[in-house]
Amino acid sequence: MNNKDKSLIISSYDDIHNPYYAGGGALAILQVAKRLTKKYNVTVITGKYPGSKNETIEGIVYERVGTSLFGGKLGQLAFQLYLPALVVKKSYDVWIESFTPPFSTTCLQLYTKKPVIGLVHMLSGEDMKRKYKLPFDSIEKVGLQTYKHIIVLSENMKKKIATINPKIDITVIPNGVDGPEQSASKNKKKYILFIGRIEVDQKGLDLLLKAYKKFSEKFSYPLYIAGSGERVEETKLHKLIKELELSKKVTLLGRVTGAKKEQIYKDALFVVSTSRFETFPIVALEAMSHGVAFICFSIEGMSWIPDKIAKKVTPFSIEKLTEAMVQLAYNKNIADDMIKSGKEFVKQFTWDSVASKYDEYLTHILK
């Protein structure tokens, strides 16, 4: 059915221009939302940040709320405080709430009889508890009891939420990526690549730098780190690089997009993800799509990736991470086999197919 007379609101603190984050969840919302504009009037409500303004991007109305005065972390809290009033005041037929740290949920379904769908790019409660020693996970579990509908990215997350709220209607819709490159890059491989948000603890950049220091004793490949984050996190990263005497070997690219992003993938020997906590990182799909080998820790959030496609190592082991980097640098055949399998695997994760699943779920709920 054509729902162009139906209004969809998606709330997410992050968006593709947010200088503190601009993460995979923001990219996923843009890619899905622009495809849903063919059938829905779509508004995306995000947090404010310096220089932000209300605007229309690819047919989507972006509305910024909250405050930009206190940085990303306090900005997230302010954003969450704004949402209950908006869910009462706004006109819409269905609302998708992308969960936001530190509590994940804002319990928006409690404030309206219209359907609110929780979107779980990540449940942050456990990670927030680990970092701040406060019971964010308990608050998160209470919040999950208030929802009727949830979208998750993986079967593992579905099982986890089902144990917390057995009555909830959960559907699995993964993240996506643009179609894979038709031919492998012939470019000379120039560096090791990390791409993602600059958040030292969660992204494990401290572990990456320590492993890379050992790796660099055997190989001359530099390490390129692409991404941006809050100033305090970027300062922490600069300090670590200096302390480990890696200033001449590590290049910080800042945020990369478009053609530049495509190019840095093509020239990479392999991509390394050292996150302590993830759910369904788009960077893994992007690496597969560009024909680049991928190394990560064997954490729950990476379990959706078959072992033959990624080089998975013991979680948070600097020694095992170093060994994996050395092995891929030495043995091109191992990397080639991973790349071949990855290019086949990633074909099922196109943004068109992802958006189609969102459309099916929305139609189901609106009926």
Side-chain angles (χ1 to χ4, degrees), residues 211-225:
Y212 173 73
K213 183 175 177 63
K214 294 184 176 183
F215 171 86
S216 66
E217 294 170 359
K218 299 182 179 181
F219 295 93
S220 59
Y221 292 105
L223 171 63
Y224 280 17
I225 297 178

Side-chain angles (χ1 to χ4, degrees), residues 192-261:
I192 312 305
L193 177 63
F194 169 93
I195 184 166
R197 184 174 71 256
I198 303 304
E199 188 173 338
V200 172
D201 184 78
Q202 196 253 308
K203 295 295 184 181
L205 287 166
D206 53 331
L207 306 175
L208 173 60
L209 289 172
K210 290 173 184 177
Y212 173 73
K213 183 175 177 63
K214 294 184 176 183
F215 171 86
S216 66
E217 294 170 359
K218 299 182 179 181
F219 295 93
S220 59
Y221 292 105
L223 171 63
Y224 280 17
I225 297 178
S228 62
E230 291 192 90
R231 184 176 298 177
V232 65
E233 292 294 333
E234 293 185 349
T235 299
K236 191 186 299 184
L237 178 60
H238 279 278
K239 184 179 178 182
L240 271 172
I241 292 169
K242 186 176 181 180
E243 287 175 352
L244 292 169
E245 300 179 336
L246 291 172
S247 298
K248 294 182 179 180
K249 297 180 179 181
V250 177
T251 299
L252 302 180
L253 300 177
R255 182 179 302 176
V256 293
T257 58
K260 184 176 181 181
K261 184 178 180 181

